[in-house]
Amino acid sequence: MGSFKNVKIRTKLVGLVSVLSFFTLLIAGYGIYQAKSIDASYREIYEKDTSATAVAGQAGMYFNESRAVFLRAIMQQVPQERQESLDRMKALDDETDKYLVTLESKAVSAEGKNAMKQLQEQVAKYRSLRVNVLQLSQNGAVDWPSFTAAQQQAKAISGQVEKITGMAATAGETHMAQEGSDIAHNILLMAVVSLLIILLAMGMGTAM
């Protein structure tokens, strides 16, 4: 300590400023790193969870529209009109499949992947039942037993889509809460480090 007191005031000030600058830059660098990390996490939340909710909603919308067109097709007696409805139904099926593929790519957890597998199986079964209805229903006469079976499967699909939508929303909320906790932790850590720097500066000032 005696040797430090013998150092010139200018040298002491330069040393003090250098130490404070070093720790200030260290805190700033850490803050920038954490900000980028949090930004990346928010982007991941949007891409994986929030957007998955929107994709599930789009898939459900096209599926329900396809159901409505299917009902119209089996009730139609004019062959040309029936075929037009079937063509429209096929186009809606293709749109539904596109969103299901996108939704499946966003499933990262075992639970999410299992839910998507069940949904794909339900859709395949529904379309098989739908073919039976179309084959048995001619000239506007609907085969109600096969139609009822198809409708029950369609309801199961709607329920599964709602389940997946809920899973995506819950995952997003969980990740956002975790990010909030991480931000609070980082702020507290930076405050503690800043306090230590102030105490160090005061100690060095007293030593002068």
Side-chain angles (χ1 to χ4, degrees):
M1 185 65 68
S3 60
F4 182 75
K5 289 184 177 181
N6 294 330
V7 178
K8 293 182 180 179
I9 296 296
R10 180 179 179 182
T11 304
K12 293 178 181 178
L13 290 175
V14 171
L16 178 60
V17 170
S18 299
V19 171
L20 292 178
S21 298
F22 171 76
F23 282 107
T24 300
L25 290 173
L26 188 65
I27 292 177
Y30 178 76
I32 292 172
Y33 169 77
Q34 288 299 317
K36 289 184 177 180
S37 177
I38 291 170
D39 179 66
S41 296
Y42 275 115
R43 288 178 182 274
E44 183 179 3
I45 289 172
Y46 174 77
E47 293 174 359
K48 294 293 184 181
D49 299 324
T50 307
S51 64
T53 304
V55 171
Q58 288 290 329
M61 181 188 71
Y62 281 113
F63 174 74
N64 287 327
E65 188 176 351
S66 176
R67 287 178 61 187
V69 174
F70 164 60
L71 177 59
R72 188 162 62 246
I74 63 176
M75 298 293 291
Q76 288 171 335
Q77 299 183 22
V78 179
Q80 183 178 354
E81 293 178 353
R82 179 184 173 98
Q83 187 58 50
E84 289 175 355
S85 294
L86 292 177
D87 292 341
R88 174 58 180 164
M89 184 180 72
K90 178 63 169 60
L92 291 169
D93 286 348
D94 292 341
E95 289 297 323
T96 302
D97 289 342
K98 288 179 183 178
Y99 282 100
L100 290 179
V101 170
T102 301
L103 188 60
E104 188 172 19
S105 69
K106 295 179 180 296
V108 292
S109 67
E111 184 183 9
K113 291 179 179 179
N114 184 56
M116 280 305 305
K117 181 181 178 181
Q118 291 179 6
L119 179 59
Q120 294 284 17
E121 291 173 350
Q122 289 173 334
V123 170
K125 183 177 179 180
Y126 166 73
R127 289 176 180 173
S128 177
L129 291 170
R130 193 176 61 182
V131 171
N132 292 337
V133 177
L134 291 169
Q135 291 175 343
L136 296 172
S137 303
Q138 299 293 332
N139 300 322
V142 181
D143 183 77
W144 293 110
S146 59
F147 174 76
T148 300
Q151 288 297 92
Q152 290 176 343
Q153 185 64 24
K155 289 181 180 179
I157 291 172
S158 296
Q160 186 71 1
V161 171
E162 290 180 3
K163 176 184 175 181
I164 292 172
T165 302
M167 289 171 59
T170 300
E173 292 172 359
T174 301
H175 289 159
M176 291 290 282
Q178 182 61 47
E179 287 302 316
S181 176
D182 291 343
I183 291 173
H185 177 268
N186 290 332
I187 291 175
L188 177 60
L189 180 61
M190 292 178 70
V192 171
V193 173
S194 298
L195 178 60
L196 291 176
I197 292 176
I198 292 173
L199 293 175
L200 175 63
M202 292 174 63
M204 293 182 68
T206 302
M208 290 181 184

